[in-house]
Amino acid sequence: MEEFELTLKPNLESYHEHEKNGLYTYGWSPDWQTAFDELELAEASPGRVIADHGHKYRIVTSRGEGWAELSGRIQHELGDRSAFPAVGDWIAVRFMAEGGNDGIIHGILPRASRISRRAAGSVPTEQMIAANVDVLLLVAALNLDFNLRRLERYLVMAWNSGANPVILLSKADLCDDPERYVRETESIAPGVPVIAVSAKEDQGREQLEALLRPGMTVALTGSSGAGKSTILNWLAGEEIQDTQEIREGDSRGRHTTTHRELFILPQGAVMIDTPGMRELGLWEDGGGWSEAFTDIEELGRNCRFADCRHEREEGCAVKAAVDSGELDPKRLENYRKTERELKYQASKEQVRQRNDRKGKGKKDARRGKGEERRRLTLERD
């Protein structure tokens, strides 16, 4: 993991230089200050969203914690719900009272990374999970619910986000041979660190804490019952999130965490805990799909035909790898399935955007006609 860790090293010198500013504890940096200054919002102060409660946000600023809402203007300008503040976003706030902590959000700084998925429903929409995450911990429990295909989907989401993925195989104390599962997981996650952990037996703490440097933002995601809140409490050294026992019959859990929230860890990093997901609908492909299946993509470069679909074509290197046992046929099947899903989602999104543009065009035309009628009325008068 040494090379991976080096790529995550924050500017600790800047951190220690400014650590008296409370926001640096939450990941603030000179780069974020530059981005904030570029907004050119008078009488605004920087802050970070630490919890999302729908239309109200728990925030932290140099004054401490408070509550905030979006200004009417920015709500209108943002339009799409996915552009609204998410946990981890850096924001520009104008306080409602002198010396008070509550305020109105008048700006959102450009996101360095965005963790999102497709929201449930027939209309394709993006649901934000967290923003400005440096390391995304994909948590999978070593029990009856362990599923490599599901992990592949989470990796697509992670690589699309811009964050660095790390896989945590939780509840290792329930497994007779966790190293076997580590090897299996490494086979479907080339280049991604895989750590077997057990909060009960304090296993894997040293490897995990190596990622929790001051100034880093780490997020937990995974299925319900995977043990995310337990990991957070374990690392924090106290019960800051409620936990529940999973069902013994099928190892499925319930949603203990009901909203996304950011916590400061004693190791110096901040961690975002998120509600468990029953299903993960993929949203957009910014190269994450190819990155998650990089081994198949590399095999495909050796196919006889450049446009090989890896089905029945002669000289297909991917099919040859399946026949020889080098590639798991279930992995190839998931490769195709997620490709179809992303293409279908992209086509639906294009239709939605086209319809939105048509609707906006009609609205602008009606507004223009109304203004013209008012002008002619004024001229007659």
Side-chain angles (χ1 to χ4, degrees):
M1 280 181 57
E2 185 175 354
E3 182 178 350
F4 177 82
E5 291 176 5
L6 289 174
T7 65
L8 301 177
K9 187 174 183 179
N11 189 336
L12 294 180
E13 183 178 344
S14 295
Y15 173 82
H16 290 303
E17 179 184 348
H18 301 281
E19 62 184 347
K20 292 181 180 179
N21 179 338
L23 281 184
Y24 276 81
T25 305
Y26 287 86
W28 189 248
S29 70
D31 289 339
W32 286 119
Q33 183 66 54
T34 299
F36 176 81
D37 293 340
E38 290 174 353
L39 292 180
E40 298 183 343
L41 288 172
E43 300 179 357
S45 299
R48 194 170 199 188
V49 176
I50 59 175
D52 181 356
H53 294 271
H55 293 291
K56 296 199 72 172
Y57 304 92
R58 191 73 178 162
I59 64 169
V60 63
T61 67
S62 59
R63 296 185 181 184
E65 292 190 18
W67 291 94
E69 298 181 11
L70 281 173
S71 71
R73 177 190 61 80
I74 198 172
Q75 280 192 55
H76 176 73
E77 289 179 354
L78 293 175
D80 197 283
R81 183 70 190 176
S82 65
F84 281 34
V87 174
D89 265 322
W90 291 103
I91 53 175
V93 182
R94 287 179 179 145
F95 295 110
M96 291 189 286
E98 186 174 350
N101 293 357
D102 299 341
I104 303 295
I105 299 171
H106 288 271
I108 303 173
L109 277 61
R111 291 163 173 161
S113 64
R114 50 187 299 139
I115 316 297
S116 67
R117 66 169 180 170
R118 174 175 170 157
S122 58
V123 179
T125 54
E126 182 182 17
Q127 180 185 22
M128 284 294 300
I129 297 172
N132 302 315
V133 172
D134 298 303
V135 178
L136 182 59
L137 301 176
L138 310 178
V139 185
L142 291 180
N143 55 22
L144 296 176
D145 197 39
F146 182 76
N147 189 308
L148 288 174
R149 306 287 79 82
R150 186 191 300 133
L151 268 174
E152 288 170 344
R153 296 179 66 83
Y154 275 99
L155 281 166
V156 174
M157 178 188 73
W159 286 122
N160 273 333
S161 72
N164 292 285
V166 174
I167 297 175
L168 297 187
L169 301 183
S170 62
K171 306 183 182 182
D173 54 285
L174 301 179
C175 179
D176 293 334
D177 187 8
E179 287 305 313
R180 177 173 72 86
Y181 287 94
V182 169
R183 292 191 296 271
E184 288 183 4
T185 304
E186 288 175 339
S187 72
I188 60 99
V192 177
V194 180
I195 308 172
V197 300
S198 168
K200 184 177 180 180
E201 297 184 351
D202 206 36
Q203 178 182 343
R205 176 186 284 273
E206 185 176 347
Q207 289 173 281
L208 187 50
E209 288 190 335
L211 305 172
L212 305 178
R213 297 192 178 97
M216 301 296 295
T217 297
V218 181
L220 293 158
T221 190
S223 301
S224 301
K228 299 182 296 297
S229 296
T230 298
I231 291 172
L232 173 61
N233 292 338
W234 173 45
L235 294 171
E238 58 179 313
E239 296 293 314
I240 58 178
Q241 282 283 67
D242 292 334
T243 59
Q244 290 182 347
E245 292 296 323
I246 63 170
R247 296 195 303 259
E248 294 297 334
D250 56 7
S251 293
R252 300 302 296 273
R254 299 175 181 175
H255 294 295
T256 305
T257 303
T258 57
H259 61 276
R260 300 164 187 89
E261 190 167 356
L262 184 151
F263 302 91
I264 298 177
L265 294 177
Q267 295 84 353
V270 294
M271 179 170 280
I272 299 173
D273 192 15
T274 65
M277 302 182 197
R278 295 294 186 202
E279 295 182 3
L280 173 60
L282 299 177
W283 179 261
E284 196 172 5
D285 182 35
W289 175 74
S290 295
E291 193 71 40
F293 294 98
T294 183
D295 54 337
I296 298 179
E297 292 284 283
E298 289 177 1
L299 284 168
R301 296 189 183 99
N302 296 320
C303 292
R304 180 181 300 177
F305 304 108
D307 59 349
C308 183
R309 297 185 57 80
H310 319 311
E311 293 176 349
R312 297 182 179 84
E313 296 90 344
E314 291 186 8
C316 175
V318 174
K319 290 293 291 181
V322 170
D323 294 340
S324 68
E326 178 185 351
L327 178 64
D328 185 344
K330 292 181 180 179
R331 179 163 169 77
L332 177 58
E333 181 182 342
N334 207 26
Y335 169 85
R336 292 170 176 156
K337 178 182 177 181
T338 49
E339 179 186 29
R340 290 193 300 268
E341 180 179 341
L342 286 165
K343 285 182 176 179
Y344 176 74
Q345 179 267 120
S347 66
K348 294 275 284 186
E349 175 64 6
Q350 288 173 359
V351 171
R352 186 187 70 82
Q353 290 179 357
R354 189 161 57 245
N355 291 338
D356 286 349
R357 286 194 295 269
K358 286 181 180 178
K360 185 177 184 300
K362 290 178 180 178
K363 189 181 294 184
D364 290 343
R366 286 195 298 270
R367 186 183 299 115
K369 288 179 180 179
E371 292 175 353
E372 180 65 13
R373 282 195 297 270
R374 285 192 293 272
R375 184 184 66 79
L376 292 173
T377 301
L378 288 172
E379 287 178 353
R380 285 196 301 270
D381 294 344

